[in-house]
Amino acid sequence: MNNSLKIVFYTYIIKTKGMIGMDDVILETRNLTKKYKNQYALNDVSITLKKNHIYGFIGENGAGKSTLMKILAGLIFPTSGDMTFMGETDPSAIEQKRKSVGTMIEGPYLYPGYSVRQNVELQRLLVGNPDESATDRVIELVGLSDSSKKKARKLSMGMKQRLGIAMAMVGNPRFLILDEPINGLDPKNIVTLRSMLKKINQDSDCTIFVSSHILSELYLLATDFIFIHKGSIIETLTHEQLENKCSQYILVRNNNIPETVTILEKYFPGINYKVETDDTVKIYGRSKIMTELSEHLMQAGITVSELTEKEMSLEEYFISITGGRE
Ligand code: ADP
């Protein structure tokens, strides 16, 4: 290789190494904002979703989850900002790619007088999937084969949810957006849905973006987590990173919480803690301060009845990162 070729070649290697290749990314948003009158439903949302991952989308009611999902699905438009989907940035080119998106946002939209099969078949035609066998395949996948002739209005809540997912699936989506799909499902259906979504993700190379207020279930399903609070993305973590973060908090139980708080503020500035009750405080993400804290408490004459390291659930982690925020 001559010298100038070598330079080009090595520059290319250096530039591409360590970057997320665009080939790995299915969707990217840049500074998406959605404003309703004077209120921001979304504020400067920039996220990158990688192919074949399952993203758990977590936020309180009113945080902006449905708004973002609707923008990604092309159901509403952002006030500002843009996105790249499957390599396309131009809105009309993105529109062409929407055939590859399956959605269930704010409940399944069913034709109540039509049967399960008719609903799915209609959706197959709407999204333009020429493969006729897809209809029965997705009905089978969601476990509704025995009820395929039943009218949608006669289905239980859980069956309606599963029909909604079958309809989202019938176009062989590369990207599936599911807003609260677990709502109304009984524990058995929840387990079925989880294994179904994992199978779709693995067998069909489908990226899934799913919200749920049942965080313990999302924890079992998702490979990555995106936390939204009051319209802003406050954290994005892989499952492994979340596991590490959730691993520990310190529980302090004693008879003088106001003084304990003073000590925390004085000796550990910027520390993340939450007063739980009159006699307990939880301290997040700083398990190494145990000994030092114990000494300060002793010096202040505080009788400590408990000072232990505990595991955090996803719920507790969520509260720990949103609790103190405005
Ligand atoms: P989530 O899905 O997280 O519960 P939403 O995305 O539905 O939250 O709503 C985010 C914020 O935007 C809320 O404050 C909500 O009231 C507001 N909002 C959503 N849709 C509209 C709308 N069509 N008109 C005005 N405000 C809206």
Side-chain angles (χ1 to χ4, degrees):
M1 206 186 298
N2 71 33
N3 277 348
S4 56
L5 251 182
K6 258 188 204 161
I7 290 167
V8 171
F9 181 65
Y10 290 122
T11 311
Y12 173 78
I13 289 181
I14 290 163
K15 276 193 173 166
T16 50
K17 234 180 156 177
M19 287 183 357
I20 305 174
M22 279 317 283
D23 285 354
D24 299 332
V25 172
I26 185 145
L27 185 142
E28 190 171 47
T29 72
R30 285 169 298 274
N31 313 102
L32 283 184
T33 292
K34 179 74 182 175
K35 202 173 173 190
Y36 288 112
K37 294 202 175 124
N38 292 327
Q39 189 207 0
Y40 282 97
L42 286 183
N43 198 354
D44 229 8
V45 168
S46 300
I47 53 169
T48 302
L49 305 184
K50 291 197 219 155
K51 284 178 185 163
N52 301 354
H53 286 227
I54 303 179
Y55 290 88
F57 191 32
I58 300 171
E60 293 157 343
N61 280 344
K65 300 182 298 295
S66 301
T67 304
L68 179 60
M69 287 177 145
K70 283 183 204 161
I71 291 175
L72 300 187
L75 300 173
I76 58 171
F77 294 98
T79 309
S80 59
D82 56 62
M83 64 192 247
T84 304
F85 178 61
M86 293 177 84
E88 304 290 354
T89 303
D90 180 59
S92 56
I94 290 179
E95 213 40 55
Q96 294 296 315
K97 297 275 184 192
R98 291 221 189 271
K99 281 196 214 96
S100 308
V101 184
T103 59
M104 188 172 74
I105 300 175
E106 291 181 346
Y109 288 96
L110 311 172
Y111 300 95
Y114 284 12
S115 71
V116 165
R117 195 172 189 289
Q118 284 169 331
N119 268 283
V120 181
E121 182 67 359
L122 207 61
Q123 185 66 18
R124 179 180 72 79
L125 296 171
L126 271 176
V127 296
N129 181 0
D131 175 10
E132 287 177 21
S133 68
T135 299
D136 290 320
R137 194 171 61 244
V138 292
I139 291 174
E140 164 97 46
L141 193 71
V142 298
L144 284 178
S145 298
D146 292 344
S147 313
S148 69
K149 293 200 176 110
K150 222 177 193 172
K151 290 225 163 55
R153 73 170 121 83
K154 293 196 172 159
L155 300 176
S156 70
M157 176 86 172
M159 288 163 107
K160 281 184 185 156
Q161 289 287 97
R162 284 191 275 154
L163 173 54
I165 292 162
M167 290 166 72
M169 287 298 307
V170 75
N172 290 328
R174 296 270 76 83
F175 185 47
L176 196 52
I177 305 174
L178 301 173
D179 187 12
E180 298 282 350
I182 305 166
N183 260 5
L185 297 191
D186 62 27
K188 192 167 156 253
N189 279 330
I190 290 178
V191 176
T192 312
L193 178 65
R194 186 198 318 147
S195 53
M196 202 177 87
L197 291 178
K198 284 191 170 179
K199 191 167 159 36
I200 292 164
N201 167 251
Q202 279 153 20
D203 296 357
S204 318
D205 292 342
C206 179
T207 306
I208 301 177
F209 191 63
V210 55
S211 71
S212 173
H213 64 277
I214 306 176
L215 302 191
S216 52
E217 183 51 36
L218 269 193
Y219 193 73
L220 295 174
L221 174 67
T223 59
D224 299 75
F225 301 89
I226 297 178
F227 294 89
I228 185 168
H229 187 61
K230 296 193 174 162
S232 301
I233 303 297
I234 53 169
E235 194 150 42
T236 305
L237 296 171
T238 64
H239 200 285
E240 193 187 352
Q241 287 168 332
L242 182 67
E243 243 169 36
N244 289 337
K245 291 218 173 197
C246 278
S247 61
Q248 269 138 22
Y249 66 88
I250 299 173
L251 181 85
V252 186
R253 197 186 303 279
N254 65 38
N255 61 354
N256 194 343
I257 293 304
E259 182 62 20
T260 307
V261 167
T262 307
I263 289 172
L264 288 174
E265 297 281 355
K266 183 174 173 192
Y267 295 103
F268 311 99
I271 198 161
N272 188 4
Y273 67 88
K274 187 160 184 271
V275 176
E276 283 284 303
T277 61
D278 284 354
D279 69 350
T280 55
V281 186
K282 285 181 177 176
I283 302 162
Y284 301 100
R286 297 281 291 275
S287 57
K288 292 200 179 94
I289 68 162
M290 278 263 275
T291 320
E292 202 184 332
L293 175 63
S294 149
E295 279 164 13
H296 288 302
L297 293 172
M298 258 168 52
Q299 276 163 14
I302 297 172
T303 314
V304 177
S305 49
E306 188 175 352
L307 184 65
T308 40
E309 266 186 71
K310 304 253 183 197
E311 296 257 308
M312 245 195 290
S313 67
L314 180 52
E315 267 93 353
E316 285 175 308
Y317 181 69
F318 177 59
I319 292 165
S320 83
I321 60 168
T322 56
R325 283 177 193 253
E326 266 312 296

